[in-house]
Amino acid sequence: MPAAGRWTNWWRRRQQEQAEPVEVVAPPEPSPDPEPAPETPDPWRPVAGEFALRLLTLTWEAVHHIGEAEFREQDAERRKVLFRIDHSVTRVRRLAENLRVLTGEPLDDPDQQVTSLQDITHAAGAAVENYERLHFGPIADLAVAAVAADDVIRILTELIDNADRYSAPTEPVSISAHLTGDGDVVIRVEDNGIGLNPAHVPWIERLLDSPDGPAAGELKPAHLGLSVAAVLTHRHRSLRVRLVPRRPRGTVAMLLIGADLLCETPRPAEPEPMAALDAVPEQRRRAIAGDEVTMVLPVQKAMPRRVPASVRGIEPPPPPVTTRVHQTAWHDDAADFNAGVDAARAKAPHSTERPQKVEGPR
């Protein structure tokens, strides 16, 4: 076939192919996103909780043995060394308890009891490194119910520890507890440190306000103390924590304790008067009179619970429908309360009470 014929036939076939409808194959539709797999629990969390429990057991044994050595030691210098070792073990115990809190494992407090605010503030201060820097101001003469006393001590310990670590070694840390007009108590921890990093403020507020506590992805190694405080705070409906800047520098950490967690401070039982011995059985009378070494002590009655009505004189208002309203009011009230205390403090002399070493939560 001549070359011209071959080109003609090729051109015709080309035109026919272009004229025929071409079936367009649509690209495959993307498959819908698969449903997220159910979140599997972290296998290391119970392991870490068990590790913390064993560490707590060892620290309790160490505290017991060190206490015996301190009691028997007569040399003052060696007793100081034993005291420093005891204080270090106490801080290790606090870290082990924090690990149990962050892993979601329960903290068993077998000796729960009503604790006065005076004892709570001193016990919390005794668990930080530089407890000798603490200055205690006015402390309301009230107590915290047994169900929340140990958690309040742990929360306050973390707030005091942050104030101690983020302020100069020469600067004091002030602690005070004030009764509000609503029957609540606000514990203030004030320092003259570096203050809050503005970049961290949104994270801190979200951490302390979230009812579910800190998420696993939001934990920051530099702020583990605040994470522990957030978890413990949300275990009790009437506890709130708020951090605000202090003027001219520093931070004020405020712990709000609701009136439903407060009660009167337990008082020691008064000795039984000798005039009432006639109404006591003979065996008991001899014991009280001192004829026997072992004495049968009277049973101390439980102190009445403090309720908001005992402060306000009216029935407490019903709880809010949402927690957001209460949180916003708490933020506003905290700022007003902070300004009022600062103004009152400027007119009154500062307290110079020195802290004392007190055992932490058991």
Side-chain angles (χ1 to χ4, degrees):
M1 180 180 293
R6 291 198 299 268
W7 280 105
T8 302
N9 294 335
W10 175 83
W11 180 253
R12 288 176 180 174
R13 290 196 302 268
R14 177 72 179 273
Q15 293 295 329
Q16 292 176 358
E17 292 176 358
Q18 293 180 352
E20 294 177 357
V22 179
E23 183 180 0
V24 178
V25 180
E29 296 182 0
S31 58
D33 295 336
E35 296 182 358
E39 184 179 357
T40 57
D42 185 2
W44 289 105
R45 292 180 72 90
V47 174
E50 180 65 22
F51 179 82
L53 182 60
R54 297 185 182 185
L55 188 59
L56 278 173
T57 303
L58 293 177
T59 55
W60 281 118
E61 293 180 2
V63 168
H64 174 71
H65 296 317
I66 295 172
E68 288 186 348
E70 284 183 295
F71 179 76
R72 298 177 181 178
E73 183 58 57
Q74 300 298 327
D75 184 78
E77 293 299 325
R78 285 197 290 266
R79 292 191 67 178
K80 290 181 180 180
V81 174
L82 290 173
F83 179 82
R84 288 197 295 268
I85 297 174
D86 186 7
H87 185 57
S88 298
V89 174
T90 299
R91 291 159 54 204
V92 173
R93 185 190 68 197
R94 178 172 66 88
L95 295 178
E97 291 179 348
N98 290 348
L99 183 57
R100 293 278 294 182
V101 170
L102 293 178
T103 54
E105 299 294 331
L107 275 172
D108 296 328
D109 297 314
D111 191 22
Q112 291 185 350
Q113 56 186 345
V114 175
T115 308
S116 67
L117 291 172
Q118 187 79 18
D119 291 339
I120 281 179
T121 53
H122 282 81
V128 302
E129 181 177 3
N130 301 311
Y131 62 90
E132 65 277 357
R133 295 171 49 196
L134 305 182
H135 287 188
F136 292 88
I139 304 295
D141 188 17
L142 291 172
V144 178
V147 68
D150 291 323
D151 285 341
V152 170
I153 292 176
R154 294 186 179 103
I155 295 171
L156 187 58
T157 299
E158 298 307 319
L159 300 181
I160 296 175
D161 183 69
N162 279 347
D164 176 42
R165 291 168 57 236
Y166 292 102
S167 58
T170 57
E171 295 290 342
V173 175
S174 301
I175 304 170
S176 58
H178 307 273
L179 181 66
T180 69
D182 293 331
D184 306 328
V185 163
V186 174
I187 302 179
R188 291 165 48 98
V189 180
E190 305 176 60
D191 66 77
N192 296 318
I194 60 178
L196 296 173
N197 187 341
H200 296 167
V201 171
W203 176 85
I204 292 175
E205 292 181 350
R206 184 171 65 254
L207 177 74
L208 298 176
D209 292 343
S210 174
D212 300 327
E218 291 187 340
L219 297 179
K220 295 184 179 181
H223 299 286
L224 288 181
L226 288 180
S227 300
V228 172
V231 173
L232 294 175
T233 299
H234 295 300
R235 289 183 180 179
H236 306 275
R237 183 178 180 182
S238 300
L239 295 181
R240 295 287 186 274
V241 174
R242 175 72 170 162
L243 272 63
V244 296
R246 184 177 185 270
R247 298 292 181 262
R249 58 190 176 92
T251 305
V252 178
M254 290 180 285
L255 170 60
L256 172 73
I257 306 175
D260 59 321
L261 295 179
L262 299 173
C263 60
E264 301 292 344
T265 303
R267 306 298 181 187
E270 297 181 358
E272 192 167 348
M274 298 300 294
L277 289 180
D278 296 336
V280 181
E282 180 67 22
Q283 181 181 1
R284 174 71 179 281
R285 187 162 58 246
R286 292 199 311 268
I288 296 176
D291 295 340
E292 297 180 4
V293 177
T294 303
M295 296 180 62
V296 181
L297 298 179
V299 178
Q300 183 178 358
K301 297 182 179 179
M303 299 300 297
R305 292 288 301 276
R306 186 180 186 90
V307 296
S310 64
V311 177
R312 294 191 295 267
I314 59 175
E315 292 297 328
V321 179
T322 61
T323 57
R324 172 57 59 185
V325 176
H326 180 76
Q327 291 170 0
T328 303
W330 158 235
H331 292 175
D332 298 339
D333 294 344
D336 296 340
F337 185 84
N338 187 31
V341 170
D342 290 340
R345 181 171 296 170
K347 301 179 181 179
H350 293 276
S351 174
T352 59
E353 180 185 353
R354 301 296 298 175
Q356 57 183 351
K357 182 69 164 61
V358 182
E359 284 296 328
R362 294 296 185 185

